[in-house]
Amino acid sequence: MKLTLGQAAKHAGRAKGTLSKALNNGQITGEKDGKGRWQIDPSELQRWIEANPLPNTTENQDTTPLETPENTNGNSALEVEVKMLREQMAEMRSMNERERQTLVDQIESLHGQIERQSADHRQALAALTDQRERTAEQPKRGLWARLVG
């Protein structure tokens, strides 16, 4: 995970202008993204920090403090990445919930449509059944057929 110029300045304890000059002079290698913003590798930043200590540090100082910013940079970069991934997961969950709700609504709509069609079919069947009963009735017999038969 690369650092922006502001993040790198914060981790190095330096001004953004100082890092910008170092980038433009080639003391720090970095890339510009599609929007023209610097992207700096944490290990490259650490190399530059070690090569350019702050004026108030002495050469007799233990190397442990120099290692701490690297761990902080690495951890910070990981924390940023974890945060971004959590945001992406939350966004995906909300998108999945919206899709699920859309599908539930579609299913309910289809159930309603099936019920209406089923009711229409029952009415049509009842109408057909009624017509068959009327046609199946015996025709009325005349007076002579009733007397004789």
Side-chain angles (χ1 to χ4, degrees):
M1 178 88 185
K2 301 218 178 201
L3 302 171
T4 64
L5 183 61
Q7 290 170 331
K10 183 177 178 182
H11 291 296
R14 313 286 171 90
K16 289 192 326 187
T18 303
L19 289 180
S20 181
K21 286 178 187 175
L23 284 162
N24 291 328
N25 293 336
Q27 294 175 344
I28 301 175
T29 56
E31 303 171 344
K32 286 194 175 184
D33 63 9
K35 295 182 180 179
R37 296 177 298 196
W38 284 106
Q39 298 293 312
I40 304 167
D41 189 81
S43 61
E44 176 65 17
L45 178 65
Q46 184 62 31
R47 181 196 60 78
W48 181 82
I49 292 170
E50 290 172 1
N52 298 287
L54 289 172
N56 62 354
T57 59
T58 63
E59 291 191 15
N60 296 335
Q61 199 175 26
D62 187 15
T63 59
T64 306
L66 293 177
E67 293 172 2
T68 303
E70 181 179 1
N71 291 339
T72 303
N73 291 344
N75 290 342
S76 179
L78 290 175
E79 288 172 0
V80 169
E81 186 173 1
V82 166
K83 181 181 177 185
M84 287 175 23
L85 289 173
R86 285 184 177 156
E87 289 172 358
Q88 286 177 349
M89 286 177 53
E91 186 177 320
M92 290 179 73
R93 283 187 186 122
S94 67
M95 186 173 66
N96 286 343
E97 181 59 29
R98 285 191 305 267
E99 288 176 359
R100 189 188 71 74
Q101 188 59 44
T102 300
L103 291 174
V104 166
D105 293 344
Q106 287 177 350
I107 290 169
E108 288 175 0
S109 174
L110 290 172
H111 278 296
Q113 188 177 3
I114 289 170
E115 289 296 321
R116 286 189 299 277
Q117 288 177 350
S118 180
D120 290 345
H121 289 162
R122 284 192 295 272
Q123 285 179 341
L125 182 61
L128 289 174
T129 304
D130 288 344
Q131 288 178 359
R132 287 184 189 153
E133 288 177 354
R134 281 190 230 128
T135 58
E137 289 180 7
Q138 295 291 331
K140 289 191 173 185
R141 298 185 314 186
L143 179 61
W144 181 256
R146 282 184 278 172
L147 290 174
V148 174

